[in-house]
Amino acid sequence: MKTDFDVIVVGLGPVGATLAALLDLCDVSVLVLEREADVYPLPRAVHFDDEVMRVFQTIGIANKTGDFTVVNKGMRFVDPDGRVLLDWPRPQEIGSNGWYPSYRFNQPMLERLLRSNLRNCHHVDVCLNADVIDLNSSDDRVFCSYQDRTNGEQKAVSAAYVVGCDGANSIVREKMAVGWQDLGFEERWLVVDVLLNVEKPELGEFTIQHCDPARPSTFAHGPGMRRRWEFTL
């Protein structure tokens, strides 16, 4: 593998994988460095909109998302007795962006599709098990050192730009020494994702936000037989 690129992307989550595919369309050489060996297997994010689907259309995967997406019916906010406080239906027609305005999705399946799509890109190299350990810059280059977690070998690469798509504990943000503001919000929630064994139409198709001051909770209708409950602790 070569050692100099136009862009190094640190992190192969949905953002990093999508960015790499977009850069490939511009004939930009990309190296993606990802610390983990595989996609994190549990659901996390569950919603994207029509603008995101347009991006997926641009990189050629929009028509392959049907197995893990469902058009979102909308959201209802109810009081502790189940009475509707606010009804927020989402349009069930294709909008001005050429897609439905709101989708529920399964993140691990999306990530696998994004990674599979990168194998068709001509200007993208992907290194898994690659733990970035240092970043340094000159006037026109960024120098990146990373460790191969399979054998402990350290390697060095360079690029004109490095983009941090490496999440909450970003080493890119740390090396940039940029500040960030903590607003002090801290709540613990229990998130329960399930696959139903049989259809449960009585659960409904809307996301339900239970506005109980003593314990707010949420129900979300996912694609297929996937359902989610969230409870404050």
Side-chain angles (χ1 to χ4, degrees), residues 108-119:
M109 296 177 74
L110 170 63
E111 290 196 41
R112 292 189 186 99
L113 175 60
L114 286 166
R115 292 189 181 196
S116 174
N117 181 63
L118 290 181
R119 289 194 282 269

Side-chain angles (χ1 to χ4, degrees), residues 75 104 189-190 192 207-210 215-220 228-232:
M75 192 168 188
R104 297 288 183 195
W189 285 67
L190 173 66
V192 182
T207 296
I208 306 296
Q209 179 63 51
H210 296 273
R215 173 176 265 185
S217 61
T218 307
F219 164 76
R228 169 175 287 192
W229 284 265
E230 303 176 0
F231 307 93
T232 51

